[in-house]
Amino acid sequence: MFEKFIECPYCRQKISLLLDLGVSGNTQIIDDCEVCCRPIEINYTVENGEIESFFYSSIEGNEF
């Protein structure tokens, strides 16, 4: 598991995510902010155990 810190698209607080780098390819998950509990859509791609691309957005579509 890899810990990545992001800014919540809703409450703007810094939160941590645990990403699984053991599975190659594209991964899409929904995780709740640990501060405001609102859902965040997370998309990332893993190749050779490293993150190749990463983005996240609120369910309403504010992409980061």
Side-chain angles (χ1 to χ4, degrees):
M1 298 299 268
F2 175 77
E3 185 175 29
K4 182 158 182 74
F5 292 92
I6 65 168
E7 181 181 288
C8 173
Y10 300 102
C11 69
R12 304 290 185 214
Q13 295 296 310
K14 184 176 181 181
I15 61 171
S16 69
L17 304 171
L18 290 178
L19 306 177
D20 184 0
L21 302 184
V23 179
S24 291
N26 298 323
T27 301
Q28 178 181 11
I29 58 174
I30 304 289
D31 201 0
D32 291 336
C33 171
E34 57 196 41
V35 177
C36 70
C37 300
R38 295 179 73 183
I40 302 168
E41 181 179 359
I42 301 143
N43 293 282
Y44 64 99
T45 303
V46 174
E47 294 296 332
N48 299 318
E50 295 185 10
I51 297 175
E52 293 292 318
S53 67
F54 177 85
F55 66 95
Y56 64 97
S57 63
S58 65
I59 298 300
E60 288 81 31
N62 297 329
E63 189 172 297
F64 289 85

